[in-house]
Amino acid sequence: AFEFQKSYNLLYDSVYNADRFKQLDEFRSYFEAEQKQKENTNLLKSNLSQEIKIQNKNYFIFLIFLLLG
């Protein structure tokens, strides 16, 4: 009976640990995806800001040419 209990405990621990590793891996994957999404959002905001600055400079240059022309 002792050997059976010992085998049962080893099998239980193995299954329990495998389940824990799976949960940790899923959490890690979720966290990495969230981080990448935040990074992408920040890059999009930065690009939009740069585009707006360029557009404003172009409008200013156009206005100067209109006033001088």
Side-chain angles (χ1 to χ4, degrees):
F2 177 72
E3 285 299 317
F4 175 77
Q5 183 66 32
K6 188 176 174 183
S7 295
Y8 172 80
N9 287 341
L10 285 173
L11 181 61
Y12 177 81
D13 288 346
S14 176
V15 170
Y16 179 78
N17 287 334
D19 188 45
R20 283 288 168 216
F21 285 128
K22 182 181 176 187
Q23 287 177 341
L24 287 172
D25 191 48
E26 288 173 357
F27 179 73
R28 181 186 53 78
S29 296
Y30 174 79
F31 178 76
E32 287 175 355
E34 286 291 315
Q35 291 298 103
K36 287 182 189 249
Q37 183 63 36
K38 286 179 185 177
E39 183 180 345
N40 287 341
T41 300
N42 288 338
L43 288 172
L44 287 172
K45 286 179 183 178
S46 178
N47 286 344
L48 182 60
S49 176
Q50 290 297 322
E51 288 178 18
I52 290 171
K53 287 178 183 178
I54 291 169
Q55 189 176 29
N56 286 341
K57 286 180 183 178
N58 288 341
Y59 287 145
F60 181 74
I61 292 169
F62 179 72
L63 183 62
I64 295 276
F65 278 119
L66 277 178
L67 292 175
L68 295 176

